[in-house]
Amino acid sequence: MTIRLEQMHPAVVHFPIATLPLAVGADLLGSMTDNPSLRSFGRGAIAVAAAGTVAAVVTGLIAGEEVNVEGPARDKLMTHRNLNAVVTLAATCMAFWRASNDRPGAGYLTTGVAALGTLAYTAYLGGQLVYETGVGVGPAGGVYREDAPRLDPQEPGRFIEAAAEDLQAGIGHLIDEIGEGYLVPSIAGKQNPTG
């Protein structure tokens, strides 16, 4: 198995996306309930989150140099990159501060919540770069439904209905394909005849 330079970034971005909310949430809850176990978990989790943000930003900088982007997609990539650098700086500072402080303070928690909001936005931008502009990916036939609904806060019904339909179909495909022996076809070399 080989990995290209630009493929390292999507392989690691989920670490900070998962661990930063855990760290901030544990510290917030630990502070509110005066629970030392939660605060201890938060202290360890922020160190892991900071390491994850560093890995994500390093691989993101590498990926940014390997992909072709111009115009609005380039602007989106720069925004994604620059805001993630801020999140990395915040998480790293938080981890260093938290290593020598048993209790997270108001400034720490405020920084954490701001970093979470920024991280959520940059993750959204990263998704747009791939799914809307195709940055770093070859064509795979687009999307199945060009008219798939978008989440509109004024009219969420069609979006929820389509998501439920897709979830039901996805579960059906999961069960059927595993039942047909396609557990890990890209590893086992067993190709799906319909794929």
Side-chain angles (χ1 to χ4, degrees), residues 21-41:
L22 280 174
V24 174
D27 273 336
L28 188 58
L29 222 66
S31 294
M32 292 170 55
T33 62
D34 199 28
N35 184 320
S37 295
L38 283 173
R39 290 194 315 265
S40 177
F41 179 83

Side-chain angles (χ1 to χ4, degrees), residues 23-32 34-36 38-40 42-43 46 94 97-98 100-110:
V24 174
D27 273 336
L28 188 58
L29 222 66
S31 294
M32 292 170 55
D34 199 28
N35 184 320
L38 283 173
R39 290 194 315 265
S40 177
R43 179 187 284 175
I46 193 62
M94 289 171 65
W97 186 88
R98 195 69 174 83
S100 59
N101 291 280
D102 181 50
R103 294 181 177 271
Y108 172 91
L109 294 171
T110 301

Side-chain angles (χ1 to χ4, degrees), residues 10 19 22-23 26 41 47 49 56 81 113 116-117 120 133 143 149 152:
T19 55
L22 280 174
F41 179 83
R81 177 197 63 207
V113 170
L116 286 177
T133 62
V143 293
D152 180 352

Side-chain angles (χ1 to χ4, degrees), residues 69-83 121-122 124-130 132-133 135:
V69 284
E70 300 296 331
R74 179 78 181 154
D75 294 342
K76 199 172 286 188
L77 178 72
M78 287 187 289
T79 303
H80 174 76
R81 177 197 63 207
N82 297 347
L83 289 177
Y121 178 66
T122 63
Y124 166 74
L125 288 179
Q128 279 192 324
L129 283 165
V130 173
E132 287 188 6
T133 62
V135 170

Side-chain angles (χ1 to χ4, degrees), residues 1 181-192:
M1 181 170 90
Y182 299 106
L183 186 60
V184 287
S186 64
I187 296 171
K190 182 177 180 180
Q191 290 187 322
N192 184 339

Side-chain angles (χ1 to χ4, degrees), residues 56-75:
V57 85
V58 166
T59 58
L61 289 169
I62 292 167
E65 298 302 312
E66 292 294 323
V67 296
N68 293 319
V69 284
E70 300 296 331
R74 179 78 181 154
D75 294 342

